[in-house]
Amino acid sequence: MIRLRDVSFRYGDGAADGGGGASGGAALRRISFDVPQGGFRWLLGPSGAGKSSLLRLLSLGARPTSGGMDILGSAIEHARRATLARLRQRIGIVHQDFRLLPDLPVFDNVALPLRLQHRPEDEIRDEVEAILSWVGLGARAASRPPQLSGGEQQRVAIARAVIHRPALILADEPTNALDDAQASRLMELFQDLSGLGTTIVVATHNDALIRRYPAHELELAQGRLARDG
Ligand code: ADP
Ligand code: ADP
């Protein structure tokens, strides 16, 4: 499902669309690990350790500077643009800063992954209504993201990340704006999805949540993988 071999990544010219330039130190150094289908991983490490950079590679937002990476069974170093685009549609991402489209209603923000799949509009309406009610935002479908609280925006971001039943979910601090009950509910969703075969990687600093939901940990320290277990 996910397989990294000696993956290094360095920010530089073209990092946003996949290249590694020559400037600066490496954000990730010779990282190797596997996550099987349906695996759940906590991604841990202090600020600057490389968590966001690793999530960026796993979400196909950049290519490794060196090393081998398979995502959803495809070798990324050889993948063409069309293959990457197809793979991205099977990944759900909860960004730390939500990245909602501020001018679109909540409904359309959440519908986006289904519209990219050209699903029929009546099906989209049912799915969006169901997921919005599940995250407690059934009454907010017509609101625009800037009208929502941080916690509500984070729940919209979560809804958008899971609505198309992606094979891989990547989440960067997905509970930092949620209360304890909401965070637990999200973890229960992740456990259910993982049981159904969804592979999930969650970067967090939420120690209470990690203690409450112990799972396999990937710990980064200064760009290196310090623990895998
Ligand atoms: P974490 O998510 O664990 O806080 P990051 O992946 O954000 O760690 O950062 C890892 C390293 O990469 C840090 O040295 C950071 O300064 C650097 N870095 C992160 N983002 C960028 C960027 N867009 N351009 C250049 N360097 C970056
Ligand atoms: P309100 O404050 O309007 O009553 P809440 O924020 O309490 O709404 O959420 C309403 C429902 O949605 C609750 O049952 C809550 O557990 C659930 N919920 C909230 N956030 C999430 C989330 N991130 N994932 C899943 N369910 C959530």
Side-chain angles (χ1 to χ4, degrees):
M1 162 58 60
I2 296 177
R3 177 184 161 88
L4 274 72
R5 286 295 174 272
D6 277 329
V7 163
S8 296
F9 178 67
R10 175 187 299 278
Y11 285 92
D13 294 339
D17 61 8
S23 61
L28 297 171
R29 301 162 192 266
R30 307 200 61 164
I31 305 274
S32 301
F33 65 85
D34 296 278
V35 187
Q37 186 186 352
F40 181 96
R41 297 290 184 270
W42 287 122
L43 179 56
L44 309 177
S47 183
K51 301 182 298 297
S52 297
S53 302
L54 181 55
L55 288 175
R56 187 167 169 157
L57 295 190
L58 297 178
S59 63
L60 310 180
R63 289 190 206 236
T65 308
S66 62
M69 183 170 87
D70 293 4
I71 299 291
L72 296 166
S74 289
I76 296 311
E77 60 271 32
H78 305 303
R80 292 166 180 273
R81 192 176 281 266
T83 307
L84 295 178
R86 192 160 35 74
L87 290 171
R88 281 192 194 101
Q89 289 197 15
R90 300 177 57 206
I91 302 175
I93 307 170
V94 185
H95 294 280
Q96 186 166 15
D97 54 0
F98 315 144
R99 299 206 198 162
L100 303 175
L101 299 171
D103 298 328
L104 284 187
V106 163
F107 183 98
D108 298 276
N109 269 277
V110 173
L112 216 62
L114 299 180
R115 294 214 164 110
L116 286 174
Q117 294 177 352
H118 307 291
R119 298 269 289 276
E121 207 53 38
D122 56 338
E123 212 175 291
I124 290 177
R125 196 191 52 237
D126 291 348
E127 299 270 352
V128 172
E129 283 174 2
I131 193 84
L132 283 180
S133 111
W134 192 83
V135 296
L137 294 174
R140 297 300 239 150
S143 304
R144 303 263 185 314
Q147 302 171 279
L148 304 181
S149 72
E152 290 172 329
Q153 291 185 40
Q154 189 154 44
R155 284 181 277 147
V156 174
I158 290 163
R160 183 182 59 183
V162 303
I163 191 164
H164 55 311
R165 296 170 202 177
L168 172 61
I169 294 174
L170 303 168
D172 200 351
E173 301 281 1
T175 63
N176 61 0
L178 303 185
D179 64 31
D180 286 349
Q182 293 167 353
S184 295
R185 199 146 175 259
L186 177 63
M187 288 310 300
E188 275 146 32
L189 171 66
F190 282 168
Q191 286 182 332
D192 289 348
L193 292 174
S194 162
L196 291 168
T198 310
T199 306
I200 305 178
V201 181
V202 180
T204 191
H205 284 112
N206 189 333
D207 292 326
L209 203 65
I210 298 163
R211 278 196 299 274
R212 200 149 157 212
Y213 296 92
H216 194 122
E217 297 176 1
L218 295 170
E219 186 175 345
L220 293 173
Q222 298 179 333
R224 295 184 189 278
L225 187 60
R227 196 152 56 92
D228 179 4

